[in-house]
Amino acid sequence: MNAKKILAHFDFVVILFVLPLVVLSFWLVRELDVAMFAKQLKYLVMSLCVGLVIFFIPFRHLNYSIIFLYVLLLVLLILVKFIGVEKNSAARWIEIPFTSFSIQPSEVMKIALMLFLASYIAKNPPPDEGYGWRQFGIILSFVLLPFFIILLEPDLGTALIVLLVGVGVLFLVGVHRKIWITLGIIGLLVVPTTYSVAFSTGLLKPYHQKRIANFVSGEYPYQVQQALIAIGSGGFVGQKKEMATQSQLGFLPYASTDFFFAYYVERFGLLGAFGLLALYLGLILYLLSICLGAIKDYFLRVVSGYIAILFFLYAGVNICMVIGLAPVVGIPLPMMSYGGTSFMTFMILLVILENALAFRFIFEYNAHSARGPLAQLVRALGS
């Protein structure tokens, strides 16, 4: 492989957007808890090591391997129902035998689903007028399978993220407008009865109903009330660490995880909040520009569009939740909230994006006619 050619197509702009998020996250987590900071540092090192290996995997040629990964994750999602380990009142993890680690299949499924959609759409690109009903139904079924399985865990937040990001990718790639019009009409007819049906069938648990009812009535739960106090106390430029009493004295629940945005604004104020929103918005728009610019490269188009939508959903839902504009759900702030699973997932997704960008042209890395052990390995994995 020619290192100069790889670096020439490596996208450093994405890193410039992501690096401030990671630095700010580690700085604030260290202020809250040194032990958490040390653990998060381990996650960073693990992510970089795994990312270095993943960067050189020829994903564009791993058609059957990607199918196997997708099916394996579906099986693991089903097994969660039977052998899942409960954490925070939810059984969503599977312990890895003979280790102290556990895996959350629903998070890994986000990576597998992206690769599966990218591989399938690259092999079956849409016509000029967009996908018709047949191909739309086939691709949508790939999204609905993990959606329903995750929904039954139950993990409503992650299930909706999977569904929305899958439908969003189809929108970016191209679907005939008559399909969207039809689905829109059906949605308007079905939505009024969806809530009652979901609750009566057990898909919506009592705590889901309570959260939705609190949101509709404007009665903020305790954690949102404390988050709004923290945001308000941040003022325009924020408070010093010693004066950030909401987070430092433990009044703000989940300050390092789901309500990290409130802690961030308490420290950096309204000015810092606008800066953070600008970083997320800039990253999302840049990823969308890559997606829309990759006219014929559908693998890159799906990968960049998928990650852009995922960042938009995670950041948008989390921030709206914290300020009381959405019901409380377990959605972390991407690349900032403390936690290894979400952090590593986004890191791996970004590494796959860099892989798709760096190796998008026919170098000896991915040329079908290339010779040598690496080319042979590519052909073997692809078959």
Side-chain angles (χ1 to χ4, degrees):
M1 290 182 291
N2 191 321
K4 289 184 179 179
K5 287 183 179 180
I6 295 173
L7 287 175
H9 299 288
F10 191 88
D11 198 307
F12 292 96
V13 177
V14 173
I15 296 176
L16 290 177
F17 277 115
V18 172
L19 190 60
L21 299 176
V22 177
V23 171
L24 285 168
S25 170
F26 275 72
W27 182 14
L28 292 178
V29 168
R30 187 177 183 276
E31 285 187 354
L32 281 179
D33 192 315
V34 176
M36 282 196 302
F37 168 76
K39 199 170 183 179
Q40 192 77 342
L41 200 58
K42 292 179 182 178
Y43 292 139
L44 175 62
V45 174
M46 288 172 59
S47 300
L48 292 175
C49 293
V50 172
L52 184 62
V53 175
I54 288 176
F55 179 74
F56 292 100
I57 295 177
F59 290 105
R60 293 176 187 266
H61 296 276
L62 303 185
N63 302 318
Y64 293 106
S65 299
I66 288 173
I67 294 173
F68 173 77
L69 177 64
Y70 174 80
V71 174
L72 174 63
L73 263 299
L74 287 178
V75 172
L76 290 177
L77 285 173
I78 295 171
L79 288 177
V80 165
K81 195 71 177 177
F82 303 98
I83 61 173
V85 178
E86 188 171 302
K87 294 182 181 181
N88 299 323
S89 302
R92 299 168 188 167
W93 288 261
I94 293 178
E95 286 187 341
I96 300 174
F98 311 112
T99 71
S100 59
F101 296 98
S102 58
I103 182 174
Q104 189 176 354
S106 59
E107 284 295 322
V108 187
M109 173 52 81
K110 293 170 188 171
I111 302 171
L113 179 62
M114 182 189 74
L115 290 171
F116 190 83
L117 292 176
S119 178
Y120 184 87
I121 292 172
K123 297 295 180 183
N124 304 273
D128 293 338
E129 66 275 12
Y131 284 123
W133 280 106
R134 181 177 177 275
Q135 280 290 355
F136 175 79
I138 291 172
I139 298 173
L140 186 62
S141 68
F142 301 147
V143 178
L144 291 178
L145 271 173
F147 164 73
F148 282 115
I149 298 173
I150 295 171
L151 189 63
L152 294 173
E153 285 188 2
D155 188 351
L156 179 62
T158 302
L160 288 175
I161 290 290
V162 168
L163 178 63
L164 292 174
V165 74
V167 173
V169 165
L170 279 168
F171 179 81
L172 290 175
V173 169
V175 174
H176 200 287
R177 63 178 179 273
K178 67 182 180 182
I179 295 177
W180 296 123
I181 294 171
T182 304
L183 292 178
I185 294 172
I186 294 173
L188 290 175
L189 296 174
V190 170
V191 164
T193 60
T194 301
Y195 177 81
S196 57
V197 171
F199 184 71
S200 61
T201 56
L203 291 177
L204 278 180
K205 303 300 180 183
Y207 66 87
H208 289 140
Q209 187 185 35
K210 183 178 180 181
R211 290 175 180 179
I212 295 172
N214 287 340
F215 170 69
V216 173
S217 65
E219 184 181 340
Y220 296 139
Y222 174 78
Q223 57 266 45
V224 175
Q225 294 177 19
Q226 297 302 316
L228 292 174
I229 294 172
I231 291 171
S233 66
F236 186 71
V237 295
Q239 299 281 359
K240 294 181 179 179
K241 174 185 173 182
E242 295 76 15
M243 301 299 295
T245 53
Q246 283 297 111
S247 52
Q248 295 300 322
L249 298 182
F251 292 110
L252 176 64
Y254 311 109
S256 61
T257 53
D258 292 349
F259 286 82
F260 190 90
F261 180 73
Y263 170 40
Y264 171 87
V265 179
E266 185 181 25
R267 286 286 283 111
F268 297 107
L270 183 64
L271 192 63
F274 281 131
L276 183 63
L277 291 175
L279 274 176
Y280 279 124
L281 182 61
L283 175 60
I284 292 165
L285 292 176
Y286 183 71
L287 292 173
L288 287 176
S289 71
I290 295 174
C291 172
L292 298 177
I295 298 174
K296 296 298 182 182
D297 188 349
Y298 281 98
F299 189 92
L300 176 58
R301 191 167 189 174
V302 171
V303 168
S304 54
Y306 187 101
I307 299 173
I309 296 170
L310 207 58
F311 265 102
F312 173 77
L313 291 173
Y314 266 78
V317 171
N318 179 272
I319 292 172
C320 286
M321 172 193 76
V322 170
I323 62 178
L325 295 180
V328 175
V329 291
I331 301 294
L333 193 62
M335 305 301 296
M336 295 199 75
S337 292
Y338 169 78
T341 304
S342 175
F343 182 81
M344 290 189 70
T345 298
F346 275 99
M347 285 286 286
I348 291 172
L349 289 171
L350 291 171
V351 169
I352 294 173
L353 171 66
E354 292 289 2
N355 171 285
L357 287 166
F359 300 114
R360 56 182 154 170
F361 299 109
I362 304 176
F363 304 142
E364 63 176 324
Y365 164 83
N366 60 6
H368 288 287
S369 60
R371 298 181 179 180
L374 181 59
Q376 292 173 9
L377 175 61
V378 168
R379 287 194 290 271
L381 290 172
S383 61

